[in-house]
Structures are given as structure tokens and as C-alpha cells.
Amino acid sequence: MKREFSFLGFTGRGGALSKIHELVREMKVARVMTSSFYSLAPTATMKELEDLLREHRISGAPVVVNDKLVGIVSIEDLIHALERQELDAPVADFMTSEELILARAQEPVMEALRRFEQTGIGRMPVVNGQGKLVGIITRGDITMALLHALQDLYTEAEQIQDRAQFFFDALESEATSLQLRYTVEKGNFARGGDASAKIKRALLRIGASPQLSRRVAIATYEAEMNLIIHTDAGGLILADIQPAEITVVAQDSGPGIPDVELARQPGYSTATSAIREMGFGAGMGLTNIDRCTDSMSLWSVEGVGTRLQMVFKVTPAETGESERDCEAT
Amino acid sequence: MTLDEIMEATEAQMLLEPPFDINLLSACASDLMSDVLLFTKPNMLLITGLTNPQAIRTCDMAEAPAVVFVRGKYPPRETLELADEMGIAVLLSPYTMFETAGLLYKAGLKGIGKLPIIRQQR
């Protein structure tokens, strides 16, 4: 098996998974259905239906008038006609024309799949917004489309990893690291967590384990909210990613923390009630950060600024069980 | 516990469906997001009265796939947009946080158990 490249020595799957999310949620019936199909007019005879089914090895056909769907006729209807020896009768006499089970071209594939499961039928005609017949969808179409899409995703992921490998292999240095930099605005709660979410996605993308990405994200999120809540003018978040170690620094230029030891006490907070109403200011931020990091250092001078450095060791995937996680123990 | 079971236990309604079937292993009820992040475990349900986007951010960081907003609070548009983007399911419970949590606990959803008592200095 081909060893998948990853900068951090792990194989990340978070990115691919969220793409499957998208795929399953967003894929429309129109993309999956077969748009070439055989149909019959209501005036066609049951004998013509028999020929059509036999010739094309299908088990049913839609019945249309001026492109509009008026019914469905299946192999079961043909058997009825054979039993009654009425092969010369028009399709209209045997077709199902009421309470047709349909798929709509613009609905998600998941909806169609649900209907297949609820009704137990094998195929559905697909109509557009005007009720015009535009295709046929089977369970097999959905399976094939999803398999193909998965294949594409997989190929794409492989290409990204190949490119990343090429990129890092081409660089010669004693220690190569990837640096990410984010500006955090004071008081911008709407964007709070943006930088942390981006760091988390980046880590997953370059192959960090979900546990590692999570503890980096949680600690960085706390630091990011501190910049938003407590600083005079916002600050910076810098992530330095190396194969064995990730360092995230959150720094600002004031006001500084008067008593760092006190600030580190669990439950100590200077947040206003307005901040608490927004869900922050529990006084647990630094405690949380401490839990999630392998080491942290907090430097602060009143009137100068604060620098919080958080270090996360990249532990091998094999020892995943002993890997620290930001969980209550 | 599935979202269907949660909806049944708390008479909640689903505002935003999850992209995947999810199975919740535990729950955490709080309006303070740092407390949530302290207790977080994967596949945890967040029960909160905080309807701003930070509740969703917290779910994303903590890998909590679903949130129940309590006491009939309806979240603002930006919260729903973020939840949709992050693929986090949103449920609305008509009960208070205490009652929502109680009903779910009674229905068999676990908490995280005991924590050490930490002396808090103010």
C-alpha cells in the first residue's frame, strides 16, 4: 500500500470527511439520473410495451403526453395484460397514473434515496419544476454516482498530498516549518474562533491526528477569545508547525495582566457581565489552555502587552491511546 | 443516543439536520463556553441557552456534532449559517436548561461524571 504523505507523520482524514458531508448533502438528483430513457404514449399497446421491455432489458417505462408524465407502466402490468390476454389494449388501461412516486430534478439525492427505502420501489421517473419528464433514477444510479464521486475525492486528496510531498521534499533546511499568521480584532465576536478553526483545518489537512488538531484548536480558541475580550487593540496569532512540535503564540500590545499568577487561578476572571452573557469570562480560559498544551508560558507587563506561548508535542499515532486529549479525566 | 431519541425525550424540534447520522455519547449543559471546552469529549451534545455563533464555534472546536438550544430560544441567523457551514445539528427544546438536561439524563444520556473540586479565588 502506498504510504500517504503527511507533514506531521499522521494521515489526516478530517478534510476528506467533510467533503463527503458536502457530497451527500448537496448532490442533486439531476446530476445522478439517466436522462436518456424509453417512454411510451398512452395509446401504445401492451404488446409494444412487451417489445420495449424485452429489447432494452428494462422492467418498466414512463408514459408521457407532450413530455409530461402521465403514468408508469411496469412488467407487473404486462403480466396482468397477459393473464387477461389483452395485449392489444392501450397502455393507458394498465398503467399506474395516480399517486405516482416521483423524484424531482432539483432535490438532493438523499431525499430520493429515502423514498426508495420507504416505498421499496426500484426506479423513479424524474420531473422538473414544470412536471416535465427529464429522466429516470434507480438505486444503482445513486450508488454509482456516490462511488464515482468518492473516487474523484480520493484522487484529488492523493494529488494534494503528492504536491505537498514534492513541496516539502524540495526544501532543504535543518528544520522546515510551516507558519500561519492571523490578525485578531478587538471586540469582533462574530469572527471569534475564525483563526482557531482555520488552524484546525490546516492541521487536519497536512495530516495531524484529530486529537492533536482538537487540543490545538481548543487552546487557540481560548487564546483568540482572550485577544478579542481583553486587549486594547486586538492582537496576533502565530502558529509554527514542525514535524515534532507545534507552537502557537498569541500576542498583543496591551493593556497587560497586572497579576499573572492570579489570572492563572481557575475561576478568576475580570470579564464584565456583558462578556459573560456572550458565553465567556468563566475564568477557565488559561486553565483550559494549560490542559491542552504540553507546555505554556505567559509573559505580561502592564502597559506593554501580553505574550502567551503554547507548545504541543506531536506524538506518534501508534501511541494514540496515551496521547493527551483535552478531555476531562 | 440518537437525535430522534433526544427529540422524543425533550419534545424538541430539529431546526437543522446533521449531514450524517450521529450517536451522542454524553452531554454537557452550560452557558459558559470555557466550561464546555473544559469538559469536552467527542460525540458530546451541547445543551445551552447561549444562542450566539460562539456556541457553534465551541461545538466545532470540541467536535460536538449537535446543540440543543433551551427554553424555546430561537437562534439568530448568523448562528444558523455557521452551524450549516460547520455541519452541526441544531435542536430547539421548549424546556429550561435544567429540565432539558434532566429529561435527557432520565432517558439515559450520560454526563462526564465527577470532577475534582478546585478552590476558586475571586
Side-chain angles (χ1 to χ4, degrees):
Chain A
M1 206 175 93
K2 180 174 174 286
R3 189 188 162 275
E4 287 182 46
F5 169 74
S6 103
F7 185 56
L8 293 169
F10 301 137
T11 305
R13 293 192 193 82
L17 213 59
S18 57
K19 285 210 166 165
I20 297 173
H21 269 202
E22 269 175 47
L23 195 74
V24 173
R25 263 204 302 184
E26 288 171 15
M27 193 187 277
K28 299 283 193 280
V29 163
R31 207 179 122 190
V32 171
M33 67 182 191
T34 312
S35 42
S36 62
F37 50 84
Y38 301 99
S39 63
L40 290 166
T43 50
T45 63
M46 289 305 278
K47 179 78 180 90
E48 285 173 61
L49 171 70
E50 187 190 2
D51 294 340
L52 185 77
L53 298 190
R54 182 179 294 145
E55 191 181 335
H56 301 292
R57 298 180 158 273
I58 52 179
S59 58
V63 183
V64 294
V65 177
N66 297 331
D67 288 342
K68 285 235 171 177
L69 182 73
V70 295
I72 297 172
V73 63
S74 72
I75 205 158
E76 271 180 56
D77 300 320
L78 178 64
I79 292 167
H80 285 153
L82 281 168
E83 281 170 353
R84 293 199 225 155
Q85 298 186 329
E86 290 179 13
L87 280 185
D88 292 331
V91 162
D93 290 358
F94 287 91
M95 70 183 188
T96 307
S97 56
E98 278 165 23
E99 291 176 26
L100 291 176
I101 299 159
L102 303 172
R104 298 187 193 284
Q106 287 313 310
E107 72 183 340
V109 163
M110 289 316 289
E111 292 296 316
L113 201 56
R114 230 167 261 162
R115 217 161 305 133
F116 275 130
E117 273 167 13
Q118 281 162 0
T119 58
I121 57 169
R123 62 159 47 72
M124 289 190 284
V126 182
V127 294
N128 66 10
Q130 290 79 49
K132 195 180 144 189
L133 181 68
V134 290
I136 299 278
I137 186 167
T138 65
R139 290 166 185 248
D141 289 336
I142 297 180
T143 313
M144 286 312 290
L146 284 174
L147 285 175
H148 276 142
L150 276 178
Q151 173 74 39
D152 290 349
L153 270 184
Y154 192 76
T155 314
E156 191 192 326
E158 272 192 337
Q159 281 171 351
I160 288 172
Q161 283 183 335
D162 283 349
R163 276 205 298 273
Q165 173 142 45
F166 176 77
F167 179 70
F168 284 111
D169 281 355
L171 303 174
E172 282 183 43
S173 86
E174 284 172 12
T176 304
S177 76
L178 181 66
Q179 292 214 356
L180 308 172
R181 181 192 184 95
Y182 306 89
T183 309
V184 180
E185 280 174 57
K186 178 201 166 50
N188 192 343
F189 282 90
R191 285 198 55 200
D194 223 34
S196 315
K198 282 174 180 161
I199 291 175
K200 183 181 179 187
R201 306 265 178 279
L203 286 172
L204 287 168
R205 248 201 133 126
I206 58 173
S209 70
Q211 292 94 325
L212 176 67
S213 312
R214 202 167 117 93
R215 61 191 180 103
V216 174
I218 290 177
T220 309
Y221 182 45
E222 291 285 5
E224 188 177 352
M225 293 313 297
N226 280 346
L227 292 180
I228 292 173
I229 296 168
H230 296 293
T231 56
D232 293 333
L236 270 183
I237 289 182
L238 300 159
D240 180 88
I241 303 164
Q242 296 186 24
E245 196 175 279
I246 296 164
T247 307
V248 180
V249 171
Q251 61 184 46
D252 62 70
S253 50
I257 304 170
D259 185 341
V260 171
E261 273 316 301
L262 185 59
R264 290 185 69 156
Q265 297 290 337
Y268 179 81
S269 177
T270 57
T272 61
S273 58
I275 300 293
R276 282 174 180 255
E277 270 164 34
M278 305 201 70
F280 286 88
M284 295 307 284
L286 289 169
T287 309
N288 255 349
I289 291 171
D290 201 20
R291 280 182 98 97
C292 292
T293 52
D294 288 296
S295 69
M296 69 172 263
S297 62
L298 179 61
W299 172 93
S300 188
V301 172
E302 258 193 290
V304 178
T306 302
R307 183 178 192 276
L308 171 68
Q309 176 173 301
M310 303 173 280
V311 179
F312 309 85
K313 299 268 184 231
V314 181
T315 48
E318 303 84 81
T319 60
E321 280 196 11
S322 65
E323 192 187 351
R324 250 180 95 179
D325 202 348
C326 288
E327 286 180 11
T329 43
Chain B
M1 184 175 281
T2 63
L3 290 186
D4 283 342
E5 289 169 318
I6 287 168
M7 283 159 67
E8 200 187 313
T10 61
E11 297 166 46
Q13 49 166 295
M14 179 106 70
L15 199 54
L16 202 62
E17 291 199 20
F20 276 142
D21 281 347
I22 51 187
N23 183 26
L24 296 150
L25 304 177
S26 63
C28 175
S30 180
D31 282 350
L32 289 172
M33 295 301 111
S34 283
D35 280 352
V36 176
L37 290 171
L38 191 63
F39 303 146
T40 171
K41 285 186 168 199
N43 286 314
M44 183 185 80
L45 173 73
L46 174 61
I47 304 166
T48 186
L50 182 82
T51 55
N52 73 26
Q54 298 311 322
I56 304 299
R57 282 285 185 207
T58 302
C59 287
D60 183 45
M61 299 300 161
E63 272 148 44
V67 57
V68 180
F69 291 124
V70 297
R71 65 191 114 101
K73 273 190 173 180
Y74 199 97
R77 190 172 51 89
E78 55 271 29
T79 299
L80 283 175
E81 280 172 3
L82 190 65
D84 190 41
E85 189 188 325
M86 301 286 168
I88 288 160
V90 176
L91 282 78
L92 305 183
S93 163
Y95 289 102
T96 62
M97 180 142 80
F98 176 74
E99 285 166 293
T100 304
L103 288 166
L104 289 173
Y105 193 79
K106 203 168 102 186
L109 193 60
K110 294 264 188 307
I112 57 141
K114 282 196 285 190
L115 287 175
I117 294 167
I118 320 169
R119 185 164 169 220
Q120 306 205 338
Q121 301 193 2
R122 301 273 164 182

